[in-house]
Amino acid sequence: MTKLSVNINKIATLRNSRGGDVPNVLQFAKDVQRFGAEGVTIHPRPDERHIRYQDAKDLKRVVYTEYNIEGNPIDSFLKLVLAVKPTQVTLVPDAEDAITSNAGWDTIRHKDFLVDVIQEFKRNGIRTSIFVDPVLEQIDGAKETGTDRIELYTEGFAHRFGLGDEGAIKPYTECAELANALGLGINAGHDLSLDNIKFFKDHIPGLLEVSIGHALISESLYLGVENVIQMYLHKLRQ
């Protein structure tokens, strides 16, 4: 079964836009789990423009499903994750000024760096995942780093699928098949939505988890958070 992890960055963005504590990030994390989400994802950035490092620490008290922290493993991020010890850390090579994640790791070029980081997390009992583009060589490279899982970067699929190109799924399916053969777990995320999630899930063998934030929160403005979470779960379980 594919698990749904809800990325709550956008809730922190809304809170930060006015100051204060409305909406409350911790309460929202509690609610999405109560509504059926099987995980909570955050992606703190160095400027703390949405999720703050203190949020990451505070959320540890209320996330009783899977807790996934994404980010670029700079020193401050490493210290945060080792202090919090979430269920999973997802390594993302985003620049400090990136609006959102826009590329996967070059697992071949950065192999030695990734090996060192992953070993440290695994010594602390934290499951590791690497954000990767749907390129077969990068899946092979990910295996060499010692990571537990990969997270397929799905923006390319979502864009092309939205234009009617169902063939956009092919490289993702091929990478999933290779990952399965190599014994790597498979996660996915970025621009997955109610419009494309079922098609994506149906074509990715062994898909363990999807992390969805921007689309899910946007859809919830019209349909309600609890309802949207149930809609995702229904599509993932069909």
Side-chain angles (χ1 to χ4, degrees), residues 109-141:
R109 179 181 176 186
H110 298 289
K111 174 185 173 182
D112 291 343
F113 172 72
L114 290 168
V115 166
D116 289 343
V117 171
I118 288 167
Q119 285 179 346
E120 181 64 19
F121 285 140
K122 293 180 81 170
R123 277 195 294 269
N124 284 271
I126 304 168
R127 189 174 73 220
T128 59
S129 180
I130 300 178
F131 198 58
V132 293
D133 296 312
V135 178
L136 293 174
E137 290 79 8
Q138 297 302 329
I139 309 303
D140 281 321

Side-chain angles (χ1 to χ4, degrees), residues 152-187:
L152 292 171
Y153 172 39
T154 52
E155 181 181 16
F157 158 75
H159 175 70
R160 290 174 56 192
F161 184 80
L163 298 174
D165 181 9
E166 294 188 354
I169 196 66
K170 182 178 179 182
Y172 295 87
T173 302
E174 292 173 346
C175 284
E177 291 171 346
L178 176 59
N180 285 327
L182 294 174
L184 292 171
I186 304 168
N187 299 339

